[in-house]
Amino acid sequence: MFRTALRNVLAHKARLLMTVFAVMLGVTFVTGSLVYGDSLKQAAVDRASAGYDRVSLNVAPNTLPGAPPATLGAHTAATLAEVPGVAAAAGRVNGFAAVADHEGRLLGSAEFRKGGNFAPARDGTDPAYRFTAGTGPAGEHAIALDEASAAKGGYRVGDTVRVGTSTGAASYTLQGVFRTDASKLSPGGSLVLFADAAAQKLFLRPGRYTDIEITAAPGTDVTQLLGRVEAVMPKDSTAVTGAQLARLQANTASSGSDTLSQMMLGFAAVALFVATFLISNTFTMLVSRRTRELALMRAVGATRKQVRRILLTESVLVGLIASVAGILAGTGVAALLQELFPAADGPAAPLTLLPSTVIIALVVGTALPVIAAWVPVRRAMAIPPVAALGAAEPAAPARAGSLRTGIGAALLLTGAATTLYGALTTGEDARTVIGLGAALTLTGAIALIPLLSRPFTALLRPLLVRVSPVQGELAARNTVRDPRRTGATAAALAIALALASGLSVLGASATQYLDGATTRDITADYLVQAPSGGQRMTPATAEPLKKLSGATYSPLNQSTEYQIGGVRSVLTGVDPAAIGRLLRYEVTAGSLDSLAEGKVAVADYKARANGWKVGRSLPVNRLDQQGEVTIGAIYHADEQSKVLPSITAPDSLVARFDSAPNTDSIVVATAGGPGRAQLASVVKALGDNPALSVLDKEAVRAEDTSGIGDQLNLFHALLSMALVIAALGIANTLAMSVLERRKEIGTLRALGLDRAGVTRMIRMEALLVGGLGAAVGTVMGIFTGWALGNTLQESVAGYALVIPWGQLALGVLLAMAGALLASLWPARRAAAVDIPAATAAQ
């Protein structure tokens, strides 16, 4: 049987190629996703653990939860340096430092703008840094920059660089440019080195360090050295080896990469699901074409079991061939993904092909064709040999009363009802219910697609006939000749379009919501903020704006730890005389002028939750202080608003309870309105501080919506792979159809249909199949996107459904274009059919 199966596989090269191609597509995406995810994960682990091999031990103070970060003294570093076996004990200082280029644009990503100290050993070098230009900083007004930041900022040794830290901004002379490892500089970030004393003054206190790095003398046993160090270091500190730090960082990076790996596997599963339709369709057509061949084997003595084994053995052989090809192609796809979507925090990672990936690819690639071949093989075995020898198995049309149609209709109705239930209810499980309903609905729609092919084709038939009477009529009839085949081919496209359309609806709705939530409440020209982890703004930060002629401003001074009327609350202090011109308060009760009288204004959601009304006096407790406040106004606000607080208070009231509030942001309106000159004047008034961001409305909007856009672009790019598989499925189905219809096409050619006419007919068939899949997928995507978005309306005020007709139309056009491109090769094969040979074929 094995020899027979192998001979059958090799006897039909075109059939082998198409079948292998169908299976290979699914394996390729699975392999590519796994290799790409594993490569990124391994690269993240390597980067995170790099550099710790130069550290023998690290001593760090223990910080109690909720307490300020603890430090170590210079005397501790000196004591550790005298321990036998210690070659050097370098005290390290870490803090926030922001550097801008000559145009004022911040360098490095927001989370990784760091400052540190240059800690030279006895030989004048610091083993953590390798200088490529200049030397380490010496003196209070000297710095060194990492090589990447210096290149991006256009800085050279000797230039003046403006640096912002948590204490303000100052100008420094660039004394050196260096390279370092990921233990000091996170990929994509920036690092500014100061002299040791200057770094302590800026980030900690004179004579204090964040931690101490110990380098062992050559030949020293690190385990023994650890015991000697622990004997003399402070009791409230901990010592770990460099190897332990490397493992800890590697584990953190590995867990951080799991989300991406899971997402890649999710899209691989989608692509595999799409490819399953292609594989199943291909095997159904192959077995159908071989009905007479199989019947002949049965007639000469082969049993059903033997024939079934031969066919399944063929599918295993095809799967193995396709799996090997898919592994090679998938590795290439992973390399392409690295070029298109490189790691944002470092260089491209070496491709990592794990044994587990090879095993998964082989199992998937072998199991899929066996599963796909099982149903058509059983169907072929059920046909009596005599009947099969007389004619090939006829296509089984979809009927309204068939079991498949009944099951499909039940799934569709159940799924739609489940999705509606999830959309119209609240709770944490609503999205899970919608996900289940969407899956059932999509499955039901896929089962009903063969039934939908006839009315859909009838709807477009007049248009096709008007464009091309003969070819349009033939294309319409050929499309509905085998509804199951048409439906299976269109289903793959429908799945890809459903996911893409649903993401487009959610993305457009979320973008519009964020757009409104971030800028609707701001009537000022500029919003001043400190980057994450950067300078802590206080009310004093805004005082230099007094010198700005004609400017109106107010810091938003956030103060916590309040109990107002027994409710835990946060107060935001503002300038009562200015805030009404800087933020949009939609007052629904009372008056905002009451702020000048020492009263507070409360957001409607806060008042509604606690039953507060205008005029009500409430007791106030903060730490050991007590008092009373009166509600003077209630205003409409979105709980997710970027600037409108839950409770707005006059800054004088906040000052009574909190002498050091944190200024969340500053809103500024200039005399001449927004403009380049006005922006420059605000920046200059604030001390030209890179650690402060001055954003106009467009910058605020771009900052808050960029994340959604980036994620959607990645999701759509990954889904496009599923779309490509679906388009290739159309190509494969049409190619197999052309092989089946060689005699028919030859007869049409003999009757006068020229090559251009045959090509046009095949292309119209592709467009009909593509249009059916695009229509079903788009409708499903809109429905699912609406349902998921509806669950947000209860918790996110202002969220509304937005249907991005342009994006949806683009998706349909891309699907149709893919279908048209997929028809080029089958159409060319059909046009090249030899008329005499085709008409003479049996």
Side-chain angles (χ1 to χ4, degrees), residues 390-414:
E393 180 190 3
R399 299 186 304 275
S402 68
L403 179 62
R404 172 184 175 132
T405 302
I407 294 175
L411 289 174
L412 181 66
L413 293 175
T414 303

Side-chain angles (χ1 to χ4, degrees), residues 754-765:
D754 58 10
R755 291 189 174 185
V758 173
T759 300
R760 192 177 300 114
M761 176 185 69
I762 300 297
R763 289 177 180 174
M764 286 183 173
E765 292 178 30

